[in-house]
Amino acid sequence: MMSSLLAVLAAAGLATGATAQAGTATTTVLTGGTIYDGSSPKPLVGDVVLRGDTIVYVGPSRKAPRGAHVVDARGMIVAPGFIDPHTHAGRFLGSTDAQVRLNLAWMMQGVTTIFTGVDGGGTPDVASFFDDLEARGFGLNVAAYVGFSPVRRAVLGDDARAPDDKELNAMKALVAKGMCEGAIGFSTGLFYAPQSFAKTGEVAALAAEAGKRGGIYDTHQRDEATYTIGIAKSVEEALEIGRDGHLPVHFAHIKVLGVDVQGQSGAIIELIDKARASGQVVTADQYPWDASGTSLQASLLPGWAQDGGREPMLARLEDPVTRAKIETEMRENLRRRGGAHALLLTDPGHEWTAMRLDEIAARWTLDPVAAAIRIIRDGDRSGKVVSFNMAEGDIATFMRQPWVVTSSDGSEGHPRMYATFPQKYAHYVKEAEVIDLATFINSSTGRTADMFGLTDRGHLKPGYKADVVVFDPARYRPVATYVQPRELTVGVESLFVNGRAAVLGSQPTGVAAGRAIRRSAPPGTCPG
Ligand SMILES: [Zn+2]
């Protein structure tokens, strides 16, 4: 009778998973490695044992159980899989190609968990986002934000105006829906139109909906330079949103961008430390590169010129008087960014691909602003650029803060998508010695997990999920560069995601072991 019941369940696809987990959970022993557990300042040499999807032992080497899969990790670093809290991987996860959904660019760096929906981009339909992913399989664990952009667009389109009460309530309901469906928080990109059209109070009202449900406020802040209100006021605005919305504030890819603010990292840190000292929860992530990645449109065009979207923007560029006004502001924005040589054009398949803006302008015998407008008008999108605008001293100062963690901000056109973690290791640990190896690992694993409330990941401890990277400290390095950004990292020997080998012998296995990380809202804050 028991067996016939099992047969029925198996036929319905229900029993197989449970049976496999209970009966044949694989045991993997990573033996003899130098173990960094995600929070300790010093390593220990020994074994990490994984059973099923869970870590069951971390300590001195001992005899492997019979039938275990043994991986020789002698001479290797064994650490929790890296957590990347700011990625633009959403479009890869949405691919119909199973290979693309593995996210090899991240996987080969040793990343096991990524966050999507950042910069205000995340859909409020979090449940269907996760359901679709799970139906198709994917390589890395995924957490998702509900983002301001689709929320505001759904209610106000691309308009540069404030919502009325009814519209604000409609937006609040969308944020609440995303949170109740498992979002980790509410993200904004207040630098970008149409989000930039929102005043502080509007954002705080929406952030409060996430706060009520245990979420975090993650922001690509309004100004990282001197574009509008200036970076200091922009930091104050984010802190105010956190206080009014009663939720933690997390600064995405913290930096001081451009010639006007370089050298001001100390002043920004002071603002944040003061808020932290007063009891506010404030954190940040950072990518270890001196260039940001954005678009010509976002980096050079004034916000008002983008009001209403692409068609009205193109019309403004047609009108000689308006165009002259736009050009004047673009010239100033270009100066802020360090001039036309500081912008490297990265959209593939164009005449200007891999050229600096000053170079293509010279070829066209146009001034750089006119060349930029030509690219914005002709481009299918807005012209991806790598923008060299950060000073090494500021990067190092931010990196040393105990409330800063590693992120990639990974998207096509910038090596950070393929090589952020090895870049931090190779440049800031080994070469420049800004931080030590344990700090690199802790700020890429345990500190990140603790910051975002991932209670069962980010540490090598019994009972935690078996997300583990094994890398060769001598070989682990970035291969991608600004000019050739699409090169996979080398040096990760093996990688386990929920206990399953995603990389073995330095090769991806094709196993798609990623899971959706759904944040559950406190009781009574969601319908049902
Ligand atoms: Zn951003």
Side-chain angles (χ1 to χ4, degrees):
M1 170 154 164
M2 195 60 200
S3 62
S4 71
L5 177 61
L6 277 177
V8 171
L9 288 173
L14 293 173
T16 46
T19 309
Q21 289 218 329
T24 61
T26 321
T27 298
T28 303
V29 180
L30 312 172
T31 183
T34 302
I35 302 167
Y36 285 83
D37 68 6
S39 61
S40 304
K42 291 264 182 290
L44 74 102
V45 174
D47 293 356
V48 175
V49 181
L50 322 176
R51 184 168 171 77
D53 66 357
T54 307
I55 296 168
V56 293
Y57 176 79
V58 180
S61 289
R62 58 186 197 184
K63 195 161 168 283
R66 255 182 23 160
H69 170 213
V70 178
V71 175
D72 183 359
R74 283 174 299 173
M76 302 289 144
I77 307 273
V78 180
F82 299 136
I83 299 172
D84 187 345
H86 193 97
T87 81
H88 295 274
R91 49 179 296 238
F92 306 111
L93 294 171
S95 171
T96 52
D97 182 339
Q99 182 80 6
V100 174
R101 294 196 307 276
L102 291 177
N103 280 305
L104 289 181
W106 278 270
M107 187 183 275
M108 298 312 287
Q109 299 178 59
V111 174
T112 51
T113 297
I114 54 178
F115 289 19
T116 66
V118 299
D119 291 351
T123 173
D125 297 325
V126 176
S128 62
F129 171 73
F130 280 146
D131 290 349
D132 288 352
L133 272 182
E134 285 171 335
R136 291 185 299 187
F138 51 107
L140 307 176
N141 303 313
V142 175
Y145 285 103
V146 50
F148 188 25
S149 180
V151 166
R152 199 174 207 272
R153 278 207 163 102
V155 177
L156 293 171
D158 285 306
D159 293 355
R161 66 176 176 87
D164 62 26
D165 284 354
K166 213 175 127 211
E167 289 163 336
L168 184 63
N169 284 334
M171 289 196 283
K172 281 163 122 176
L174 285 173
V175 175
K177 168 180 147 63
M179 289 305 304
C180 289
E181 292 180 0
I184 196 156
F186 176 56
S187 82
T188 67
L190 298 185
F191 176 67
Y192 299 104
Q195 299 176 68
S196 54
F197 304 138
K199 298 265 188 332
T200 309
E202 175 186 333
V203 184
L206 299 179
E209 294 300 314
K212 265 184 231 172
R213 296 170 180 85
I216 197 164
Y217 176 62
D218 172 86
T219 184
H220 175 154
Q221 58 179 316
R222 197 179 291 277
D223 197 349
E224 296 175 319
T226 55
Y227 276 103
T228 50
I229 59 175
I231 182 168
K233 283 219 167 64
S234 172
V235 167
E236 298 280 17
E237 179 189 39
L239 296 175
E240 185 184 331
I241 290 166
R243 283 192 301 269
D244 291 355
H246 305 285
L247 78 175
V249 175
H250 182 82
F251 288 94
H253 45 60
I254 196 162
K255 63 171 89 70
V256 281
L257 185 160
V259 294
D260 293 342
V261 294
Q262 277 169 12
Q264 292 182 20
S265 51
I268 298 310
I269 288 165
E270 233 171 82
L271 287 175
I272 292 174
D273 277 342
K274 217 176 107 200
R276 285 169 55 86
S278 80
Q280 205 175 347
V281 180
V282 188
T283 57
D285 62 70
Q286 176 199 37
Y287 54 80
W289 304 90
D290 62 354
S292 63
T294 178
S295 68
L296 277 180
Q297 180 177 321
S299 58
L300 298 183
L301 268 191
W304 59 265
Q306 302 173 61
D307 181 4
R310 184 165 170 86
E311 288 312 313
M313 175 193 83
L314 292 175
R316 287 181 195 108
L317 288 169
E318 292 299 323
D319 176 73
V321 178
T322 317
R323 174 169 168 137
K325 196 163 171 269
I326 291 173
E327 284 190 1
T328 306
E329 292 195 35
M330 285 178 74
R331 214 154 271 130
E332 174 62 9
N333 288 341
L334 192 56
R335 182 199 64 74
R336 286 191 174 97
R337 291 251 169 196
H341 191 68
L343 294 182
L344 172 69
L345 302 158
T346 59
D347 265 339
H350 293 280
E351 182 190 354
W352 59 76
T353 304
M355 290 176 84
R356 303 283 182 138
L357 180 59
D358 60 341
E359 293 165 352
I360 190 66
R363 178 184 289 181
W364 289 342
T365 56
L366 289 175
D367 88 77
V369 163
I373 290 176
R374 179 164 160 187
I375 292 168
I376 289 168
R377 288 172 60 172
D378 296 356
D380 37 355
R381 275 291 287 157
S382 41
K384 278 212 180 77
V385 290
V386 160
S387 164
F388 293 87
N389 55 45
M390 280 167 268
E392 279 296 335
D394 291 317
I395 296 172
T397 306
F398 283 126
M399 194 176 286
R400 291 193 189 99
Q401 304 310 309
W403 40 266
V404 173
V405 297
T406 319
S407 70
S408 70
D409 199 7
S411 58
E412 283 292 8
H414 193 297
R416 65 195 182 186
M417 173 171 147
Y418 290 80
T420 279
F421 292 83
Q423 167 76 3
K424 188 163 174 178
Y425 170 70
H427 185 67
Y428 292 95
V429 176
K430 286 168 79 174
E431 207 177 304
E433 298 182 348
V434 169
I435 52 169
D436 63 17
L437 177 55
T439 304
F440 158 62
I441 290 173
N442 297 348
S443 67
S444 306
T445 58
R447 189 188 292 173
T448 318
D450 298 349
M451 196 175 271
F452 290 98
L454 308 181
T455 51
D456 57 358
R457 300 185 190 275
H459 298 271
L460 294 186
K461 286 182 190 161
Y464 278 67
K465 288 281 177 276
D467 295 339
V468 188
V469 60
V470 179
F471 68 91
D472 181 342
R475 285 205 317 126
Y476 185 58
R477 65 181 176 86
V479 183
T481 63
Y482 287 118
V483 177
Q484 296 208 303
R486 298 166 161 225
E487 301 291 333
L488 294 172
T489 286
V490 296
V492 167
E493 296 284 318
S494 47
L495 185 74
F496 296 84
V497 180
N498 297 304
R500 298 177 67 197
V503 177
L504 265 188
S506 304
Q507 295 300 318
T509 61
V511 166
R515 291 187 188 162
I517 297 178
R518 292 179 176 85
R519 163 68 47 85
S520 46
T525 61
C526 290

Short mmCIF file of all heavy atoms in Angstrom, two decimals, residues 136-185:
data_model
loop_
_atom_site.label_atom_id
_atom_site.label_comp_id
_atom_site.label_asym_id
_atom_site.label_seq_id
_atom_site.Cartn_x
_atom_site.Cartn_y
_atom_site.Cartn_z
N ARG A 136 11.91 26.93 -15.07
CA ARG A 136 12.90 26.69 -16.12
C ARG A 136 14.28 26.31 -15.63
O ARG A 136 15.09 25.78 -16.38
CB ARG A 136 12.99 27.93 -17.02
CG ARG A 136 11.72 28.13 -17.84
CD ARG A 136 11.84 29.26 -18.78
NE ARG A 136 12.08 30.51 -18.07
CZ ARG A 136 12.10 31.69 -18.66
NH1 ARG A 136 11.96 31.78 -19.96
NH2 ARG A 136 12.31 32.78 -17.96
N GLY A 137 14.58 26.62 -14.37
CA GLY A 137 15.90 26.28 -13.83
C GLY A 137 16.92 27.38 -14.10
O GLY A 137 16.88 28.04 -15.13
N PHE A 138 17.82 27.58 -13.13
CA PHE A 138 18.80 28.66 -13.24
C PHE A 138 20.00 28.33 -12.36
O PHE A 138 19.91 27.52 -11.44
CB PHE A 138 18.17 30.01 -12.87
CG PHE A 138 17.44 30.02 -11.56
CD1 PHE A 138 17.97 30.65 -10.45
CD2 PHE A 138 16.20 29.37 -11.42
CE1 PHE A 138 17.30 30.65 -9.23
CE2 PHE A 138 15.54 29.36 -10.20
CZ PHE A 138 16.08 30.00 -9.11
N GLY A 139 21.12 28.99 -12.63
CA GLY A 139 22.38 28.55 -12.05
C GLY A 139 22.69 29.01 -10.64
O GLY A 139 23.34 28.29 -9.88
N LEU A 140 22.25 30.21 -10.27
CA LEU A 140 22.65 30.80 -8.99
C LEU A 140 21.42 31.18 -8.18
O LEU A 140 20.35 31.40 -8.74
CB LEU A 140 23.51 32.06 -9.25
CG LEU A 140 24.71 31.86 -10.18
CD1 LEU A 140 25.40 33.20 -10.43
CD2 LEU A 140 25.70 30.85 -9.60
N ASN A 141 21.59 31.29 -6.88
CA ASN A 141 20.48 31.75 -6.04
C ASN A 141 20.16 33.19 -6.38
O ASN A 141 21.06 33.99 -6.64
CB ASN A 141 20.87 31.65 -4.57
CG ASN A 141 21.28 30.24 -4.18
OD1 ASN A 141 20.59 29.28 -4.52
ND2 ASN A 141 22.41 30.11 -3.52
N VAL A 142 18.87 33.52 -6.34
CA VAL A 142 18.44 34.86 -6.76
C VAL A 142 17.52 35.49 -5.72
O VAL A 142 16.55 34.87 -5.29
CB VAL A 142 17.68 34.79 -8.11
CG1 VAL A 142 17.13 36.16 -8.49
CG2 VAL A 142 18.58 34.25 -9.21
N ALA A 143 17.86 36.71 -5.32
CA ALA A 143 16.95 37.54 -4.54
C ALA A 143 16.54 38.71 -5.42
O ALA A 143 17.29 39.10 -6.32
CB ALA A 143 17.63 38.05 -3.26
N ALA A 144 15.34 39.26 -5.19
CA ALA A 144 14.83 40.29 -6.09
C ALA A 144 14.26 41.48 -5.32
O ALA A 144 13.65 41.30 -4.26
CB ALA A 144 13.75 39.71 -6.99
N TYR A 145 14.49 42.66 -5.86
CA TYR A 145 13.85 43.87 -5.35
C TYR A 145 12.61 44.19 -6.17
O TYR A 145 12.56 43.89 -7.38
CB TYR A 145 14.79 45.08 -5.50
CG TYR A 145 15.93 45.13 -4.53
CD1 TYR A 145 17.21 44.78 -4.92
CD2 TYR A 145 15.72 45.54 -3.21
CE1 TYR A 145 18.27 44.85 -4.03
CE2 TYR A 145 16.78 45.61 -2.31
CZ TYR A 145 18.05 45.27 -2.73
OH TYR A 145 19.09 45.33 -1.85
N VAL A 146 11.63 44.83 -5.52
CA VAL A 146 10.61 45.53 -6.29
C VAL A 146 11.16 46.93 -6.52
O VAL A 146 11.71 47.54 -5.61
CB VAL A 146 9.23 45.52 -5.58
CG1 VAL A 146 9.32 45.96 -4.12
CG2 VAL A 146 8.25 46.44 -6.32
N GLY A 147 11.07 47.39 -7.77
CA GLY A 147 11.75 48.64 -8.13
C GLY A 147 10.81 49.79 -8.43
O GLY A 147 9.66 49.59 -8.85
N PHE A 148 11.31 50.98 -8.22
CA PHE A 148 10.51 52.19 -8.36
C PHE A 148 10.11 52.45 -9.82
O PHE A 148 9.02 52.95 -10.09
CB PHE A 148 11.32 53.37 -7.80
CG PHE A 148 10.57 54.67 -7.70
CD1 PHE A 148 9.19 54.72 -7.60
CD2 PHE A 148 11.28 55.86 -7.69
CE1 PHE A 148 8.52 55.94 -7.50
CE2 PHE A 148 10.63 57.08 -7.59
CZ PHE A 148 9.26 57.13 -7.50
N SER A 149 10.99 52.13 -10.77
CA SER A 149 10.73 52.50 -12.16
C SER A 149 9.45 51.87 -12.72
O SER A 149 8.56 52.60 -13.19
CB SER A 149 11.94 52.17 -13.03
OG SER A 149 11.67 52.53 -14.36
N PRO A 150 9.29 50.54 -12.67
CA PRO A 150 8.04 49.97 -13.19
C PRO A 150 6.82 50.40 -12.38
O PRO A 150 5.73 50.54 -12.93
CB PRO A 150 8.25 48.46 -13.10
CG PRO A 150 9.43 48.25 -12.24
CD PRO A 150 10.26 49.50 -12.29
N VAL A 151 7.01 50.66 -11.09
CA VAL A 151 5.90 51.09 -10.24
C VAL A 151 5.42 52.48 -10.68
O VAL A 151 4.24 52.73 -10.89
CB VAL A 151 6.34 51.11 -8.75
CG1 VAL A 151 5.36 51.88 -7.89
CG2 VAL A 151 6.51 49.68 -8.24
N ARG A 152 6.37 53.40 -10.87
CA ARG A 152 5.98 54.77 -11.26
C ARG A 152 5.46 54.81 -12.69
O ARG A 152 4.49 55.48 -13.00
CB ARG A 152 7.17 55.72 -11.10
CG ARG A 152 6.74 57.19 -11.03
CD ARG A 152 7.91 58.12 -10.73
NE ARG A 152 7.47 59.35 -10.06
CZ ARG A 152 7.08 60.45 -10.70
NH1 ARG A 152 7.05 60.48 -12.01
NH2 ARG A 152 6.69 61.52 -10.02
N ARG A 153 6.12 54.03 -13.57
CA ARG A 153 5.68 54.01 -14.97
C ARG A 153 4.25 53.48 -15.08
O ARG A 153 3.48 53.97 -15.91
CB ARG A 153 6.61 53.13 -15.80
CG ARG A 153 7.86 53.84 -16.24
CD ARG A 153 8.41 53.25 -17.55
NE ARG A 153 9.35 54.19 -18.16
CZ ARG A 153 10.67 54.05 -18.08
NH1 ARG A 153 11.20 53.01 -17.46
NH2 ARG A 153 11.46 54.95 -18.65
N ALA A 154 3.94 52.48 -14.27
CA ALA A 154 2.59 51.88 -14.36
C ALA A 154 1.51 52.90 -14.01
O ALA A 154 0.40 52.84 -14.52
CB ALA A 154 2.50 50.68 -13.41
N VAL A 155 1.85 53.86 -13.18
CA VAL A 155 0.84 54.81 -12.70
C VAL A 155 0.96 56.18 -13.37
O VAL A 155 -0.02 56.81 -13.72
CB VAL A 155 0.93 54.95 -11.15
CG1 VAL A 155 -0.06 55.97 -10.63
CG2 VAL A 155 0.69 53.58 -10.49
N LEU A 156 2.19 56.65 -13.58
CA LEU A 156 2.40 58.02 -14.08
C LEU A 156 3.09 58.08 -15.44
O LEU A 156 3.37 59.17 -15.93
CB LEU A 156 3.26 58.80 -13.07
CG LEU A 156 2.63 59.12 -11.72
CD1 LEU A 156 3.65 59.69 -10.77
CD2 LEU A 156 1.47 60.09 -11.88
N GLY A 157 3.38 56.91 -16.02
CA GLY A 157 4.12 56.92 -17.28
C GLY A 157 5.49 57.54 -17.07
O GLY A 157 6.12 57.36 -16.03
N ASP A 158 5.95 58.30 -18.06
CA ASP A 158 7.26 58.95 -17.96
C ASP A 158 7.14 60.42 -17.57
O ASP A 158 8.05 61.20 -17.78
CB ASP A 158 8.01 58.84 -19.30
CG ASP A 158 8.56 57.44 -19.52
OD1 ASP A 158 9.28 56.95 -18.63
OD2 ASP A 158 8.27 56.84 -20.56
N ASP A 159 6.01 60.78 -16.97
CA ASP A 159 5.75 62.20 -16.72
C ASP A 159 6.56 62.77 -15.56
O ASP A 159 6.76 62.12 -14.54
CB ASP A 159 4.25 62.42 -16.42
CG ASP A 159 3.40 62.14 -17.64
OD1 ASP A 159 3.98 61.88 -18.73
OD2 ASP A 159 2.17 62.15 -17.51
N ALA A 160 6.97 64.03 -15.75
CA ALA A 160 7.71 64.75 -14.71
C ALA A 160 6.73 65.52 -13.84
O ALA A 160 6.62 66.74 -13.95
CB ALA A 160 8.73 65.68 -15.36
N ARG A 161 5.98 64.80 -13.01
CA ARG A 161 5.05 65.48 -12.10
C ARG A 161 4.85 64.62 -10.86
O ARG A 161 5.21 63.44 -10.83
CB ARG A 161 3.70 65.75 -12.77
CG ARG A 161 2.92 64.50 -13.12
CD ARG A 161 1.55 64.86 -13.70
NE ARG A 161 0.83 63.66 -14.12
CZ ARG A 161 0.06 62.93 -13.33
NH1 ARG A 161 -0.09 63.26 -12.06
NH2 ARG A 161 -0.56 61.85 -13.78
N ALA A 162 4.27 65.25 -9.84
CA ALA A 162 3.99 64.52 -8.60
C ALA A 162 2.68 63.75 -8.76
O ALA A 162 1.80 64.16 -9.50
CB ALA A 162 3.89 65.50 -7.44
N PRO A 163 2.55 62.62 -8.05
CA PRO A 163 1.28 61.88 -8.08
C PRO A 163 0.25 62.57 -7.21
O PRO A 163 0.61 63.25 -6.25
CB PRO A 163 1.67 60.53 -7.48
CG PRO A 163 2.80 60.85 -6.55
CD PRO A 163 3.55 61.99 -7.17
N ASP A 164 -1.05 62.41 -7.53
CA ASP A 164 -2.07 62.82 -6.55
C ASP A 164 -2.27 61.66 -5.57
O ASP A 164 -1.61 60.62 -5.70
CB ASP A 164 -3.39 63.23 -7.26
CG ASP A 164 -4.02 62.10 -8.05
OD1 ASP A 164 -3.79 60.92 -7.70
OD2 ASP A 164 -4.74 62.38 -9.04
N ASP A 165 -3.17 61.85 -4.59
CA ASP A 165 -3.32 60.84 -3.54
C ASP A 165 -3.67 59.47 -4.09
O ASP A 165 -3.16 58.44 -3.65
CB ASP A 165 -4.40 61.27 -2.53
CG ASP A 165 -3.87 62.35 -1.59
OD1 ASP A 165 -2.65 62.64 -1.68
OD2 ASP A 165 -4.66 62.90 -0.80
N LYS A 166 -4.57 59.48 -5.08
CA LYS A 166 -5.02 58.21 -5.65
C LYS A 166 -3.84 57.51 -6.34
O LYS A 166 -3.66 56.29 -6.21
CB LYS A 166 -6.15 58.50 -6.65
CG LYS A 166 -7.18 57.42 -6.70
CD LYS A 166 -8.35 57.80 -7.61
CE LYS A 166 -8.57 56.68 -8.62
NZ LYS A 166 -9.09 57.13 -9.91
N GLU A 167 -3.07 58.29 -7.05
CA GLU A 167 -1.93 57.70 -7.77
C GLU A 167 -0.87 57.19 -6.79
O GLU A 167 -0.27 56.13 -7.00
CB GLU A 167 -1.33 58.75 -8.72
CG GLU A 167 -2.22 59.04 -9.92
CD GLU A 167 -1.87 60.33 -10.65
OE1 GLU A 167 -1.26 61.25 -10.03
OE2 GLU A 167 -2.20 60.43 -11.85
N LEU A 168 -0.64 57.96 -5.74
CA LEU A 168 0.34 57.51 -4.74
C LEU A 168 -0.11 56.19 -4.10
O LEU A 168 0.70 55.27 -3.92
CB LEU A 168 0.54 58.59 -3.65
CG LEU A 168 1.62 58.26 -2.62
CD1 LEU A 168 3.00 58.16 -3.28
CD2 LEU A 168 1.65 59.29 -1.50
N ASN A 169 -1.42 56.10 -3.81
CA ASN A 169 -1.93 54.85 -3.23
C ASN A 169 -1.77 53.68 -4.19
O ASN A 169 -1.47 52.57 -3.77
CB ASN A 169 -3.40 55.01 -2.82
CG ASN A 169 -3.52 55.81 -1.53
OD1 ASN A 169 -2.59 55.83 -0.71
ND2 ASN A 169 -4.65 56.49 -1.35
N ALA A 170 -1.97 53.95 -5.46
CA ALA A 170 -1.80 52.88 -6.46
C ALA A 170 -0.34 52.40 -6.47
O ALA A 170 -0.06 51.20 -6.56
CB ALA A 170 -2.22 53.38 -7.84
N MET A 171 0.59 53.35 -6.36
CA MET A 171 2.01 52.97 -6.34
C MET A 171 2.35 52.20 -5.06
O MET A 171 3.08 51.21 -5.10
CB MET A 171 2.90 54.21 -6.49
CG MET A 171 2.86 54.81 -7.88
SD MET A 171 4.23 55.96 -8.19
CE MET A 171 3.68 57.39 -7.33
N LYS A 172 1.80 52.67 -3.94
CA LYS A 172 2.05 51.97 -2.67
C LYS A 172 1.57 50.52 -2.75
O LYS A 172 2.26 49.60 -2.27
CB LYS A 172 1.30 52.67 -1.52
CG LYS A 172 1.98 53.93 -1.00
CD LYS A 172 0.97 54.73 -0.20
CE LYS A 172 1.38 54.99 1.20
NZ LYS A 172 0.40 55.85 1.91
N ALA A 173 0.41 50.34 -3.37
CA ALA A 173 -0.14 48.98 -3.48
C ALA A 173 0.80 48.08 -4.30
O ALA A 173 0.95 46.89 -3.99
CB ALA A 173 -1.53 49.02 -4.12
N LEU A 174 1.43 48.64 -5.31
CA LEU A 174 2.35 47.83 -6.13
C LEU A 174 3.60 47.44 -5.34
O LEU A 174 4.09 46.32 -5.44
CB LEU A 174 2.74 48.59 -7.41
CG LEU A 174 1.66 48.67 -8.48
CD1 LEU A 174 2.10 49.60 -9.62
CD2 LEU A 174 1.36 47.27 -9.04
N VAL A 175 4.11 48.39 -4.56
CA VAL A 175 5.29 48.06 -3.73
C VAL A 175 4.91 46.99 -2.71
O VAL A 175 5.64 46.00 -2.51
CB VAL A 175 5.83 49.32 -3.02
CG1 VAL A 175 6.97 48.94 -2.07
CG2 VAL A 175 6.32 50.35 -4.05
N ALA A 176 3.73 47.16 -2.09
CA ALA A 176 3.28 46.18 -1.10
C ALA A 176 3.14 44.80 -1.74
O ALA A 176 3.54 43.78 -1.17
CB ALA A 176 1.94 46.62 -0.50
N LYS A 177 2.58 44.76 -2.93
CA LYS A 177 2.42 43.49 -3.65
C LYS A 177 3.78 42.81 -3.86
O LYS A 177 3.95 41.63 -3.56
CB LYS A 177 1.74 43.76 -5.00
CG LYS A 177 1.76 42.59 -5.98
CD LYS A 177 1.04 42.99 -7.29
CE LYS A 177 1.62 42.33 -8.52
NZ LYS A 177 1.50 40.87 -8.55
N GLY A 178 4.76 43.57 -4.35
CA GLY A 178 6.09 43.00 -4.57
C GLY A 178 6.69 42.45 -3.28
O GLY A 178 7.26 41.36 -3.26
N MET A 179 6.52 43.22 -2.20
CA MET A 179 7.06 42.78 -0.91
C MET A 179 6.35 41.51 -0.42
O MET A 179 6.99 40.58 0.08
CB MET A 179 6.92 43.88 0.14
CG MET A 179 7.82 45.08 -0.06
SD MET A 179 9.58 44.68 -0.16
CE MET A 179 9.85 43.82 1.37
N CYS A 180 5.04 41.47 -0.58
CA CYS A 180 4.28 40.31 -0.11
C CYS A 180 4.58 39.08 -0.96
O CYS A 180 4.35 37.95 -0.54
CB CYS A 180 2.80 40.62 -0.09
SG CYS A 180 2.37 41.78 1.22
N GLU A 181 5.09 39.30 -2.16
CA GLU A 181 5.43 38.17 -3.03
C GLU A 181 6.89 37.73 -2.88
O GLU A 181 7.35 36.89 -3.62
CB GLU A 181 5.11 38.52 -4.49
CG GLU A 181 3.61 38.64 -4.71
CD GLU A 181 3.22 38.99 -6.14
OE1 GLU A 181 4.12 39.14 -7.00
OE2 GLU A 181 2.02 39.11 -6.40
N GLY A 182 7.62 38.35 -1.93
CA GLY A 182 8.95 37.82 -1.62
C GLY A 182 10.12 38.72 -1.95
O GLY A 182 11.27 38.29 -1.88
N ALA A 183 9.86 40.00 -2.31
CA ALA A 183 10.99 40.90 -2.59
C ALA A 183 11.80 41.13 -1.33
O ALA A 183 11.28 41.07 -0.21
CB ALA A 183 10.48 42.23 -3.14
N ILE A 184 13.08 41.43 -1.52
CA ILE A 184 13.98 41.65 -0.39
C ILE A 184 13.92 43.10 0.08
O ILE A 184 14.36 43.44 1.17
CB ILE A 184 15.40 41.23 -0.79
CG1 ILE A 184 16.28 41.06 0.43
CG2 ILE A 184 16.03 42.20 -1.79
CD1 ILE A 184 17.45 40.14 0.20
N GLY A 185 13.34 43.95 -0.77
CA GLY A 185 13.23 45.36 -0.43
C GLY A 185 12.76 46.17 -1.62
O GLY A 185 12.33 45.61 -2.63
#
